[in-house]
């Protein structure tokens, strides 16, 4: 089957590429993301280079990946696409991506990229994607004015957070900025799993999906906290995007948000007052760990425009570009030779914590954000987590049995 798809793609690519301008497909859609993207578009020089960018919104890129697959098979693939982690592996295993050997050599990526970045963007010893960012997902964002008004202190543990949730609810304040969206809810879950389970549990459960770990007392403990939060807030959830929830946090309509540092991208385009009012804390009980997500770009093989793609990638691999783009995006650079002393305090802490976590071998891949497991299993697991949060009748054992069934998929 894979060979048929590969043949279809290669035949279709040879006809499709003359029909349209050069396209970069991505899923960035928030104010902060678009602010960072506009910088990328300036470097891309759209007016003269014939490049255009196209957004397929949907946090985590699930929708964008579906569109990429459909367009590749239909013969109208983009020249370049934003992609993450294990999705890169899937496309590389099918032989659908261009190797970036020349660029890797001119940029000396073997030495200038952080080791983990090389690991994520290579396949069988060759670079197959261009690294753009490193985001951290184990963050708690907090509106200081709301906490001060409520005479509350930032929660250091998940049990503290549950107490704070009930106190905020009693005051009519939305405790957590969270949309009724599987990607957002799954990031909350993986932070609880890490906070209560620790990095060994996290790795065994959410990277290896080890049946014994899933069927353990620790999982029951994590699910009971996850359910307690759900019972407190899920009736008030709306179908809002992460950035809409971030806006509620900024406006004081919500008190906290547990999500990645793409929030910094939103702070970059917010008011000075908001920037001074929103603080970052490592998610409860996850100090010492850095849960990573990375943005990369792939170019699909068979394109007639590989020379223009290489020219664009050359620009997007420069230190100056990566310094400025990550500063705007709220992420840290994928290279190890970029000074971030002019980044905001949260990003600088992210960079420091990355180095500490790298040195102590405690870097962990975000399962929700496609860095840890096979994309099919990831989407099934995220959906299971979502079902458990929304359906308060679902038992812990049902969740555990379903996740073990997912782990058995070949
Ligand atoms: C992630 C992506 C980030 C960020 C986030 C929210 O998957 O890697 O760049 O923008 O989605 O859209």
């Amino acid at each position: 089957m894979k060979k048929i798809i590969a043949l279809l793609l290669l035949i279709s690519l040879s006809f499709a590429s003359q029909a349209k301008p050069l396209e970069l497909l991505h899923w960035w859609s928030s104010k902060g993301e678009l602010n960072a993207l506009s910088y990328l578009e300036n470097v891309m020089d759209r007016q003269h280079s014939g490049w255009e960018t196209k957004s397929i919104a949907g946090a985590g890129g699930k929708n964008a990946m579906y569109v990429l697959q459909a367009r590749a098979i239909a013969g109208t693939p983009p020249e370049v696409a934003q992609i993450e982690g294990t999705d890169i592996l899937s496309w590389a295993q099918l032989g659908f991506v261009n190797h970036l050997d020349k660029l890797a050599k001119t940029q000396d990526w073997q030495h200038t990229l952080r080791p983990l970045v090389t690991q994520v963007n290579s396949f069988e010893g060759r670079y197959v994607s261009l690294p753009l960012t490193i985001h951290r997902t184990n963050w708690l964002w907090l509106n200081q004015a709301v906490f001060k008004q409520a005479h509350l202190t930032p929660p250091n543990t998940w049990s503290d957070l549950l107490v704070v949730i009930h106190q905020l609810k009693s005051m009519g304040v939305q405790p957590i900025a969270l949309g009724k969206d599987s990607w957002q809810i799954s990031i909350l879950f993986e932070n609880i799993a890490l906070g209560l389970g620790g990095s060994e549990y996290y790795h065994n459960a959410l990277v290896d999906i080890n049946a014994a770990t899933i069927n353990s007392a620790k999982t029951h403990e994590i699910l009971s906290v996850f359910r307690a939060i759900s019972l407190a807030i899920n009736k008030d959830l709306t179908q809002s995007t992460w950035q809409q929830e971030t806006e509620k946090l900024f406006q004081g309509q919500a008190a906290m948000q547990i999500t990645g540092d793409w929030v910094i991208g939103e702070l970059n385009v917010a008011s000075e007052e908001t920037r001074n009012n929103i603080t970052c804390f490592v998610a409860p009980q996850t100090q010492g760990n850095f849960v990573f997500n990375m943005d990369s770009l792939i170019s699909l093989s068979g394109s007639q425009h590989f020379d223009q793609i290489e020219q664009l990638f050359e620009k997007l691999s420069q230190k100056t570009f990566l310094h400025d783009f990550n500063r705007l995006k709220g992420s840290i650079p994928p290279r190890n030779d970029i000074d971030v002393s002019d980044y905001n305090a949260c990003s600088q802490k992210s960079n420091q914590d990355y180095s500490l976590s790298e040195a102590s071998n405690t870097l962990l891949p975000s399962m929700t954000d496609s860095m840890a497991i096979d994309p099919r299993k990831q989407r099934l697991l995220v959906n299971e987590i979502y079902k458990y949060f929304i359906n308060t009748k679902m038992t812990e054992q049902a969740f555990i049995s379903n996740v073990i069934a997912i782990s058995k998929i070949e």
Side-chain angles (χ1 to χ4, degrees), residues 53 133 140 189 216 228-229 231 233 255 295 301 319 345 355 377:
T53 60
T133 70
L140 165 65
F189 177 80
S216 68
I229 294 174
L231 289 170
I233 67 171
D295 292 301
S301 46
K319 285 172 68 172
S355 301
K377 291 185 181 180

Side-chain angles (χ1 to χ4, degrees), residues 4 6 9 80 149 175-176 236 238 247 259 269 301 332 335 373:
I4 296 171
L9 178 67
V80 167
Q149 195 176 8
I176 300 183
D236 306 321
T238 58
E247 192 55 31
T259 194
V269 293
S301 46
I332 59 174
R335 292 176 64 122
I373 58 179

Side-chain angles (χ1 to χ4, degrees), residues 29 44 92 94 135 146 160 227 237 266 304 312 320 325 350-351 358 361 379-380 384 390:
S29 59
M44 184 185 254
L94 285 170
H135 275 294
V146 170
D160 291 350
R227 174 60 52 83
L237 294 183
E266 307 309 295
Q304 309 298 309
L312 174 64
T320 308
F325 181 75
S350 195
N351 196 56
E358 182 184 50
N361 196 26
R379 290 177 180 115
L380 288 168
E384 206 57 39
I390 297 300

